[in-house]
Amino acid sequence: MKGPYTGPFLASDATMNIKPLHPIFAAELRGADLREPPSAELVKTVEDAVDRYAVLVIRGQDIDDDQHIRFSRAFGPLELPPDLGISTVRRRLRRELYDASNLDAEGKLLDLNSTRRNYNRANEIFHTDSSFNDLPTKWSLLLAHVLPPEGGDTQFIDTRAVYDDLPPATKEKIENLVAEHFLYNEWSRGGFIEVTEEMRRRMPPVRHPLVRELPYGRRALYIGAHASHIVGWPVDQGRALLQELYGFATQEKYIYSHRWQQGDLVIWDNRSTMHRAAPFDDAMTHVRDLRRTTINESGPERASTDPVPA
Ligand code: OGA
Ligand code: MN
């Protein structure tokens, strides 16, 4: 397995440096200022660091939505949040941003039983963003605007290390398997919502290989909350296999817990990690305002529920 990054781009640039945050993965990049348009050197540094560490933290970024979006677009076209057609609630944020907060459109704390609050609950299971759609999702970039006084960490797993450590017999068994991923998998199983035909039509289940080949020659286990069963297997058997893999992947040693500070931008590669919101303050008496961009490997910029351009 690759060790901490020691390549030349860091040595040759005295203004930026990288500090590992966990024995296996995750690092902090210091010396970047995202108020400025990103330089070619910064873009290369971040690309290489995310390939190496899968999770990259850039702290102290007092930036607005425009700057967040501009920085994100330097790495790929934005993936717009899908139009699920189920929310009667107005959006709080502009179309380019996923709202990971516990606030409604007026900026008030969400009602405990709101759909969005239940969506946040599903976020408390390890998942990879957008595995439920067929866009080639690359990274998520989550920026902390307002934080609760305590709790509200986000936890990450390096699914490359997980794959590497699987017993050989398991690797062989899953080599060519394909999982079905469905946005409403955990919501419907948890009894939080009923999935209507219209919801299924807008966001139908999609299929992804269980083992993901990464562009730089490693492999990762691709599972998580949205993976519902294995294609061609009886549903119960597939679910059992996914649960067994989930249990293996969520061992303590694979988890990096990020304790947020205001102005943290955390970038993760959805192809090589899982993450979840650590459950916190279930009564939600404190504001937690995090905003996310998501990018794809290739364009054009669209939501998975938009018509595919000709
Ligand atoms: C997300 C997500 C977790 C959190 O934004 O995709 O899962 O801790 N967030 O808010
Ligand atoms: Mn997520």
Side-chain angles (χ1 to χ4, degrees):
M1 200 166 61
K2 292 178 183 176
Y5 188 83
T6 52
F9 70 87
L10 294 170
S12 67
D13 180 355
T15 64
M16 284 190 275
N17 62 77
I18 294 236
K19 176 180 159 257
L21 295 170
H22 181 277
I24 297 177
F25 72 126
E28 180 182 345
L29 171 67
R30 293 179 174 168
D33 181 354
L34 310 191
R35 288 172 306 187
E36 302 300 325
S39 64
E41 187 176 40
L42 175 60
V43 170
K44 169 99 172 79
T45 300
V46 170
E47 285 276 7
D48 288 351
V50 175
D51 279 357
R52 179 65 56 120
Y53 290 101
V55 175
L56 188 69
V57 178
I58 309 178
R59 292 197 186 267
Q61 299 303 316
D62 182 16
I63 57 172
D64 60 22
D65 292 343
D66 281 329
Q67 290 161 326
H68 181 181
I69 289 165
R70 177 182 61 190
F71 179 71
S72 305
R73 280 197 174 122
F75 305 96
L78 293 184
E79 176 181 309
L80 307 176
D83 178 6
L84 303 176
I86 50 168
S87 181
T88 51
V89 185
R90 270 193 310 118
R91 293 180 56 76
R92 184 176 68 99
L93 306 175
R94 51 201 268 196
R95 179 94 204 279
E96 292 93 330
L97 296 167
Y98 286 77
D99 194 347
S101 77
N102 54 6
L103 302 172
D104 67 16
E106 277 73 47
K108 294 202 304 278
L109 283 168
L110 283 175
D111 190 79
L112 266 185
N113 295 314
S114 65
T115 306
R116 279 261 323 284
R117 174 56 192 140
N118 284 333
Y119 187 80
N120 291 352
R121 258 185 209 113
N123 260 357
E124 292 167 7
I125 303 168
F126 279 104
H127 62 277
T128 120
D129 291 335
S130 298
S131 77
F132 49 78
N133 73 42
D134 55 8
L135 291 171
T137 304
K138 181 180 174 180
W139 300 347
S140 292
L141 302 92
L142 186 62
L143 178 66
H145 288 254
V146 182
L147 295 166
E150 58 183 326
D153 295 2
T154 304
Q155 300 184 320
F156 296 91
I157 288 175
D158 183 338
T159 50
R160 305 166 304 183
V162 168
Y163 177 82
D164 289 345
D165 288 355
L166 286 172
T170 308
K171 281 187 181 152
E172 211 171 298
K173 178 159 83 175
I174 67 173
E175 173 85 23
N176 293 308
L177 295 182
V178 173
E180 195 162 292
H181 293 245
F182 185 42
L183 170 61
Y184 302 112
N185 180 44
E186 287 294 343
W187 281 5
S188 50
R189 275 209 284 154
F192 293 128
I193 58 171
E194 204 171 314
V195 183
T196 64
E197 273 313 302
E198 169 65 4
M199 285 154 70
R200 182 175 276 273
R201 190 188 62 74
R202 280 179 188 250
M203 192 52 91
V206 297
R207 296 171 171 195
H208 297 291
L210 260 191
V211 179
R212 191 142 187 172
E213 304 277 350
L214 302 166
Y216 45 89
R218 289 187 69 182
R219 291 173 144 205
L221 185 65
Y222 198 64
I223 56 170
H226 307 298
S228 60
H229 61 278
I230 303 294
V231 174
W233 281 29
V235 169
D236 285 355
Q237 231 171 291
R239 215 169 251 177
L241 173 64
L242 289 169
Q243 245 149 35
E244 180 193 320
L245 293 169
Y246 185 92
F248 185 90
T250 53
Q251 295 176 71
E252 209 52 45
K253 64 182 168 185
Y254 300 122
I255 299 178
Y256 163 67
S257 271
H258 185 68
R259 168 82 32 95
W260 290 93
Q261 293 169 15
Q262 198 204 324
D264 283 359
L265 180 75
V266 179
I267 305 170
W268 63 86
D269 193 326
N270 285 300
R271 302 163 297 190
S272 55
T273 56
M274 291 197 285
H275 64 276
R276 71 166 176 188
F280 89 107
D281 184 22
D282 212 47
M284 286 209 309
T285 49
H286 296 289
V287 172
R288 182 173 186 268
D289 184 358
L290 279 74
R291 304 178 190 183
R292 195 186 97 202
T293 52
T294 309
I295 57 169
N296 283 323
E297 288 171 344
S298 54
E301 291 195 348
R302 55 182 277 261
S304 60
T305 46
D306 290 344
V308 182

